[in-house]
Amino acid sequence: MEEIVFHHALPIQLRFNDVDKFGHVNNTVYFSFYDLGKTEYFASVCPGVDWEKIGIVVVHIEANFVKQIFASDHIAVQTAVSEIGTKSFHLIQRVIDTKTQEVKCVCQSIMVTFDLEKHESMPLTEDWIEAICKFEGKDLRKKKN
């Protein structure tokens, strides 16, 4: 698999309630970090989207927890699109320590564009595809066999 270059990073401020009784960030909290990263990524890469009509939904998500995060750590979530299909795309995210660049967790998601009025999946617009490919610096369209 090709090494992912992350062009988007969002610093995360840890909150008191993110930390559990063991002194580290609870594993369920990571998914809220990833949601924040997705939101900021698409707000900056695809501005002008009418989020009242078009949504992005998670159809698959998995996370690999590599190292603990403690309340005193300084972290950021990095986000990149790795592949674009007709209606879906693959999102790679990771949480890193901003001081050491140590990877704390890696998340892979499959996202689908969703018509919120019709309540069904819809194709990605060419504008979105072009904006994402331009931001990522390469053509990410899924190769057809």
Side-chain angles (χ1 to χ4, degrees):
M1 182 173 159
E2 180 182 332
E3 179 69 25
I4 301 292
V5 176
F6 292 91
H7 301 288
H8 190 275
L10 177 69
I12 299 291
Q13 180 178 356
L14 292 173
R15 302 165 299 174
F16 178 79
N17 63 329
D18 292 339
V19 180
D20 62 20
K21 71 179 185 174
F22 303 112
H24 64 257
V25 172
N26 187 277
N27 62 332
T28 61
V29 175
Y30 288 71
F31 294 99
S32 65
F33 300 160
Y34 293 129
D35 283 344
L36 288 168
K38 283 180 248 195
T39 301
E40 288 297 316
Y41 180 93
F42 287 102
S44 62
V45 175
C46 299
V49 173
D50 185 349
W51 296 109
E52 305 242 336
K53 294 182 180 176
I54 299 172
I56 303 170
V57 296
V58 176
V59 296
H60 178 81
I61 190 165
E62 61 184 62
N64 291 317
F65 301 95
V66 181
K67 299 268 184 174
Q68 296 179 73
I69 298 174
F70 296 96
S72 60
D73 291 344
H74 294 85
I75 62 167
V77 61
Q78 298 176 317
T79 303
V81 173
S82 62
E83 185 178 327
I84 299 173
T86 305
K87 294 183 179 183
S88 68
F89 55 91
H90 293 225
L91 200 62
I92 307 293
Q93 295 179 283
R94 65 184 186 180
V95 176
I96 62 160
D97 181 306
T98 58
K99 290 186 176 182
T100 65
Q101 299 303 303
E102 183 178 51
V103 175
K104 302 291 190 170
C105 185
V106 178
C107 179
Q108 296 184 10
S109 307
I110 299 175
M111 311 290 296
V112 171
T113 46
F114 198 77
D115 185 319
L116 295 172
E117 292 174 335
K118 294 180 181 176
H119 299 281
E120 60 186 34
S121 63
M122 59 178 276
L124 277 92
T125 68
E126 194 58 36
D127 289 347
W128 277 34
I129 294 169
E130 288 176 14
I132 294 167
C133 290
K134 181 179 178 184
F135 182 80
E136 297 294 347
K138 58 186 167 186
D139 187 358
L140 298 168
R141 291 172 183 91
K142 194 175 192 176
K143 308 292 186 251
K144 294 183 180 175
N145 294 338

